[in-house]
Every structure is written in C-alpha cells, then in structure tokens.
Amino acid sequence: MSLINSSKEILLIAESCKIVAEVLNEIEGMIRPGVSTMELSLKADEVIRKNGGMAAFKGYTIPGLAPYPAAICASVNSCIVHGIPSKDEILLDGDIVGIDVGVRKNGYYGDGAKTFGVGTISKEAQALLDVTKEALARGIKQATEGARIGDVSYAIGEYITGEGYYVADNLTGHGIGKNLHQEPSIPNHGRKGTGLRLKNGIALAIEPMVNIGTNRVREKGWEFFVADKSLSAHFEHTIVVTKNGPQILTQ
Ligand code: MF3
Ligand code: CO
C-alpha cells in the first residue's frame, strides 16, 4: 500500500480532520467540573454525524479486547490514553482530561487530541500541558520532505526529557489515511537520521504522551495508565508533508 496521498486524497483526509477540530472545539466548551466523560462522548458522536462522518474509534478492534465502545477516548489525570468514557466518571475541579477524536468520512481518516484543564489546575499540571503541546509542535516542525521519522521522534523525545518529563513507553503516533493506523509508527523518542524518509503526500498522526513521574505504563484493557499514578498529557495532530513543509490538518 502506498503511503503517498494524491492531492484529492489529501482533501478527503483534511475534511475528516476538520471535523476532528470542530469536535475538539465543541468539547472544550463543555469542559467544567460536574460534566461526565460520557456526555462529552455523546456530543462528539452528534457533531461527527451532523458533519457526515463516522466516529472512527467506535467498534475499533484489537486482538484480545472487545470492540472499542465509544466515539472518543477521555483520559483523566494518570490515564495516558484510551480512557473509556463513562456516565459515572465526573470531571472535578483541578483534573486534566485528554480528549482523543477520530473521524472517518469518504473512506479517509482524521485523528487528533488535546488535553484540557478542568476548572483551576495546579501549576504542575499546567506545565505538563505546556510541555506536551510544545513537544508536538517541535515534532511537527521536523516533518518535512526528505527528513526521517527518527528526526521527528528525536525532536519530541529530546525536548520532553530535557524538560525533566518522561515519554510514555511503547505508545506511538502513526501514519494515517485510508486506515486510522498505518505505517509508519512514530515513536516519541528516537535517533536522528533513522527510519522512513518522508515524502510529500505522507499523512502522519503525531502524538506525544508525556508523564510527570515515570515512563512506565500499566495497561488495563483498553486503558493505559502511568505506573506511579502521576499525571499524563497527550496532544495529537494529523499533518501532511507538503513541498511547503508540514501542514496541520486538525486545527
Ligand atoms: N488516537 C488514538 C491512537 O492513535 C486512537 C485510539 S483508537 C481506539 O491510538 F479505538 F483505541 F480508541
Ligand atoms: Co492517533
């Protein structure tokens, strides 16, 4: 399968990504103490459908687990990613919540995530959000024609560890297009000058996942947690490599 998308295909990926961005905006407006993660997921599903898309995560399967049950992932505090929304999970003042949204429309996917603070958050939590967002920006900046995946990974990982934080083990970004997840895998740390060489038309979902206390991860079904229960944040954009540099599609 070719990883290079034609300009027509890029427009279709961009259409799905635009819906992702709209959903994240809508959800941002709903984030407050007292809201349940299920309410956020139901709203996401509604916005995606209204725009002619499908929630890409719902029904997603990986071996050994029941199909993913919801439209979004909502990962609270020490949950790194893939938190399953629940009507019993009520956001509290001071929480942070990572919202991850995937959309499929016309056979093409978009994927994006942001971590939001609920009410007033601690300085430590805000600093974690800032570092994770900046790690994503630094990774994206490397995604130019002729660069390598390792350049993206290195930029992300060096920045995170340099700031005194930890890259969550074994969780990566990915190629995207006709599939939600496809080659290449994009680790959040790595070596410059290694890995796939980027070409114009390759679409990537770059997604640093950053922990305060340890890189170690504990898996519980779909959900990934930081092993020491410290906070974790996640930001993700779908981008496409173009002759004018990386173009962010999920904003
Ligand atoms: N953005 C997430 C990822 O790339 C989406 C997970 S798919 C789900 O891993 F089904 F687990 F939700
Ligand atoms: Co992703």
Side-chain angles (χ1 to χ4, degrees), residues 111-113 136 140 204-206 235-239 248 250-251:
D111 189 4
L136 174 57
I140 290 171
L204 302 173
I206 302 176
F235 284 82
E236 174 178 25
H237 274 309
T238 295
I239 66 115
I248 298 175
T250 37
Q251 70 180 3

Side-chain angles (χ1 to χ4, degrees), residues 107-129:
Y108 288 83
Y109 287 86
D111 189 4
K114 282 184 179 177
T115 302
F116 301 111
V118 182
T120 309
I121 62 172
S122 68
K123 266 203 192 132
E124 290 71 25
Q126 187 59 54
L128 173 68
L129 301 193

Side-chain angles (χ1 to χ4, degrees), residues 57 60 68 73 82 100 111 174 180-181 207 222 234 236:
F57 300 166
Y60 189 86
Y68 190 79
C73 305
H82 302 176
D100 195 341
D111 189 4
H174 49 94
L180 175 61
H181 294 130
E207 47 180 322
W222 278 101
H234 176 216
E236 174 178 25

